[in-house]
Structures are given as structure tokens and as C-alpha cells.
Amino acid sequence: MQSVIGGAYNGKRKFVKESLKDLENQRIFFFEGEIPDGPFTKGDYVIVGHFEKMVPQYEGLSEDEIVEQMMAKLLKLDEVTNLICICTDIGRGIVPLSKEERHLRDTCGRLYQQLFEKSEKVIRVWYGIPEVLKGDHCRLIKS
């Protein structure tokens, strides 16, 4: 699993698309706001984004329960394909006023911590500039 994080409209998807443009004979799938079930192969690249749109779908669950369920789905998907997670940083130190927005921010933060722990590579894209936070280079294609 590989993860790319950055603020909204900071170039995360453009970076991922540019990084994968030279792939030949591999299928690339983009999913926004959902974690797909498949079927996929180990040669496929599956890109999942907009986790902040998924969290509200788990209404009534605690932050830990949501993270546990989402991570289980992501780890299962990572076993059968090349998974790239695109994460939008919605915190940046600002505490939302509403309880619902705080729950969303906190849950995404907890999810991202676990995602990044499990990811072999983490890249932050800030205004189009990639920075490696974990791993040895900015390349997303597996050799």
C-alpha cells in the first residue's frame, strides 16, 4: 500500500496520474468515496480517495470502530492489488465548531495514522510539490 496526502486541490490526483502514466499492460482504477470489492489482480493499480466522504456512511459507530472497519477493507484490497490511497488533510490544526465536523476530522486523523503505519510509502503533495515522508523515493510504480 502507498499513500499520498495533501490539502484539497493541492495536486494529489495529478501527481498520482502523472506517476502512473507510463504503465503499460496494467489496469488502473480510480474510486472516490468508496472502497471497492473487486475483482482485481495483483497487476492492477487501485486508487482510492475521498475518505472524508466515507466516514459519514458509518453513522452510529465510534471513531475506533469506523477506522477498524475501513482498515480491514483496505488491507484486504491491498493483498490482491497495488493500492494507492489519496488522503485529504482536513485538520491542519483547526478545531471545527460542530460535533459532527470534529468527529469527521478526528476519525480521518486516526485512519490516516493507521494507513501511514501500514503503507510502504507516504508522499505529501503540497501545491504540486511531492515530498517523501516514508519510503525512499517519489515513484509510485512498483518495480
Side-chain angles (χ1 to χ4, degrees), residues 51-104:
F51 292 97
E52 70 280 3
K53 292 182 180 178
M54 296 179 217
V55 169
Q57 298 170 17
Y58 293 86
E59 190 175 338
L61 297 179
S62 71
E63 293 169 8
D64 291 335
E65 291 169 326
I66 294 169
V67 170
E68 183 180 320
Q69 288 186 23
M70 290 179 74
M71 281 301 298
K73 289 181 180 181
L74 290 166
L75 292 172
K76 182 178 177 184
L77 183 59
D78 187 48
E79 289 176 6
V80 297
T81 191
N82 295 300
L83 177 61
I84 299 173
C85 297
I86 299 178
C87 307
T88 301
D89 185 351
I90 60 172
R92 304 299 292 167
I94 298 170
V95 179
L97 294 176
S98 79
K99 180 180 178 181
E100 294 80 15
E101 288 179 354
R102 284 192 304 275
H103 175 72
L104 175 63

Side-chain angles (χ1 to χ4, degrees), residues 11-42:
K12 301 176 298 293
R13 282 163 189 75
K14 181 179 178 185
F15 169 76
V16 170
K17 288 176 183 176
E18 282 292 315
S19 296
L20 301 178
K21 72 178 181 186
D22 294 329
L23 283 177
E24 294 180 14
N25 303 320
Q26 273 120 342
R27 301 181 312 165
I28 301 171
F29 300 92
F30 280 84
F31 293 91
E32 302 291 347
E34 66 173 313
I35 301 171
D37 292 326
F40 301 108
T41 68
K42 198 58 184 164

